[in-house]
Amino acid sequence: MAKTTIEWTQVTWNPVTGCDKTSAGCDNCYALTLSKRLKAMGAEKYQNDGNPVTSGPGFGVTTHPASLQQPYKWKRPVTVFVNSMSDLFHAKVPLSFVQDVFEVMADTPQHTYQILTKRSLRLRRIADKLQWPTNVWMGVSVEEPKVLSRIDDLREVPAAVRFLSVEPLIAAVPGMNLDGIDWVIVGGESGHSHRPMEPEWVEDIRDQCIRAGVPFFFKQWGGRTPKANGRLLNGRTWDGMPKPTLRELKTA
């Protein structure tokens, strides 16, 4: 478990590390850059290199079975971002290992687990082979209109809470279908080559959420660093969080 400065969670847990670029939202991937640095520092989890075109040093997809024991040792209930340094639904992660991760989450109901994927098609295809306890929140990344189909895939998944991470937001995303979606996070890109995010893009998504009755969380404007330009939108913070839904209560 590692504490994190990510505003919508408390800690990160990485039973898998490494990934491959799959869409425009990956172009300036923070995890790829961090993995290169961790490899150079000798970090054990980051010694497996990925494809130099789609991945990089220390960023080869690697499962870490020993890490499956970590949640059992946490004494206090925490909110956990699962695989901040990977994608649990990457094709190179065996189904059996994905099932192991879900079994751990089911065995530790005192914690809340948040999973994000860009590989929504695999998520949808194997969802019926996984157990879905109510403490697992499932989300997809939606950075531009080209990937809106990820929302449709997510809608088919029997998670208690379904959410969207619209980050890094690199284009306007009007007219999202938020039926069956319980939470939306929006954030700008950070880093040396960050792409700008227009205020009207963020305001439009906020307004879509308000109309649909979906909690809206504005994470950051982005910039050279994640905190560079703050997180105020129209003079205030937006910290909406999902509430227990009928779907969640029925499965509890």
Side-chain angles (χ1 to χ4, degrees), residues 112-125:
T112 298
Y113 295 92
Q114 301 161 318
I115 309 171
L116 264 177
T117 186
K118 288 184 173 69
R119 291 161 172 85
S120 61
L121 184 58
R122 188 183 187 215
L123 164 67
R124 176 168 59 82
R125 286 175 172 171

Side-chain angles (χ1 to χ4, degrees), residues 83-103:
N83 286 337
S84 62
M85 298 294 289
S86 185
D87 189 328
L88 184 61
F89 294 91
H90 193 291
K92 293 180 181 177
V93 181
L95 172 60
S96 60
F97 195 80
V98 179
Q99 291 171 325
D100 288 344
V101 171
F102 270 72
E103 183 177 342

Side-chain angles (χ1 to χ4, degrees), residues 21 26-40 55-57 59 85 190-192:
K21 294 180 179 180
C26 304
D27 287 351
N28 297 312
C29 177
Y30 76 91
L32 192 156
T33 301
L34 180 56
S35 289
K36 181 178 180 180
R37 186 158 68 246
L38 290 169
K39 175 183 171 68
S55 185
F59 208 49
M85 298 294 289
S190 59
H192 179 73

Side-chain angles (χ1 to χ4, degrees), residues 1-245:
M1 177 175 67
K3 291 184 178 180
T4 179
T5 59
I6 298 172
E7 289 82 356
W8 45 265
T9 196
Q10 292 178 297
V11 300
T12 60
W13 173 47
N14 284 286
V16 184
T17 55
C19 200
D20 290 276
K21 294 180 179 180
T22 188
S23 65
C26 304
D27 287 351
N28 297 312
C29 177
Y30 76 91
L32 192 156
T33 301
L34 180 56
S35 289
K36 181 178 180 180
R37 186 158 68 246
L38 290 169
K39 175 183 171 68
M41 294 168 58
E44 183 180 354
K45 280 188 173 183
Y46 301 92
Q47 297 306 308
N48 184 20
D49 294 343
N51 184 310
V53 176
T54 60
S55 185
F59 208 49
V61 175
T62 310
T63 59
H64 303 282
S67 294
L68 295 174
Q69 297 305 310
Q70 291 177 334
Y72 297 101
K73 301 175 183 178
W74 302 336
K75 296 180 180 179
R76 297 179 180 178
V78 286
T79 302
V80 186
F81 180 18
V82 180
N83 286 337
S84 62
M85 298 294 289
S86 185
D87 189 328
L88 184 61
F89 294 91
H90 193 291
K92 293 180 181 177
V93 181
L95 172 60
S96 60
F97 195 80
V98 179
Q99 291 171 325
D100 288 344
V101 171
F102 270 72
E103 183 177 342
V104 171
M105 296 188 293
D107 283 348
T108 53
Q110 69 272 32
H111 306 310
T112 298
Y113 295 92
Q114 301 161 318
I115 309 171
L116 264 177
T117 186
K118 288 184 173 69
R119 291 161 172 85
S120 61
L121 184 58
R122 188 183 187 215
L123 164 67
R124 176 168 59 82
R125 286 175 172 171
I126 69 173
D128 64 348
K129 298 177 176 63
L130 305 171
Q131 54 179 319
W132 290 92
T134 58
N135 62 326
V136 173
W137 300 4
M138 188 68 233
V140 295
S141 300
V142 182
E143 63 267 28
E144 60 175 341
K146 291 179 182 178
V147 297
L148 282 174
S149 62
R150 293 174 184 165
I151 305 176
D152 296 326
D153 289 333
L154 178 63
R155 242 188 298 275
E156 300 300 315
V157 175
V161 173
R162 305 186 191 108
F163 69 100
L164 309 181
S165 176
V166 190
E167 182 187 4
L169 180 58
I170 58 174
V173 190
M176 289 190 296
N177 180 356
L178 297 178
D179 289 347
I181 303 302
D182 304 297
W183 189 31
V184 174
I185 304 164
V186 174
E189 192 168 54
S190 59
H192 179 73
S193 302
H194 67 277
R195 290 162 284 188
M197 179 175 66
E198 299 298 331
E200 55 265 30
W201 301 349
V202 183
E203 292 167 352
D204 177 62
I205 296 171
R206 177 203 57 197
D207 293 346
Q208 290 182 57
C209 289
I210 291 173
R211 289 194 297 269
V214 175
F216 172 79
F217 192 107
F218 183 55
K219 180 172 175 278
Q220 65 188 37
W221 285 106
R224 286 296 297 270
T225 67
K227 314 293 186 185
N229 294 304
R231 54 187 302 262
L232 295 180
L233 173 63
N234 299 145
R236 55 160 287 192
T237 56
W238 299 78
D239 293 329
M241 295 291 289
K243 299 176 181 178
T245 63

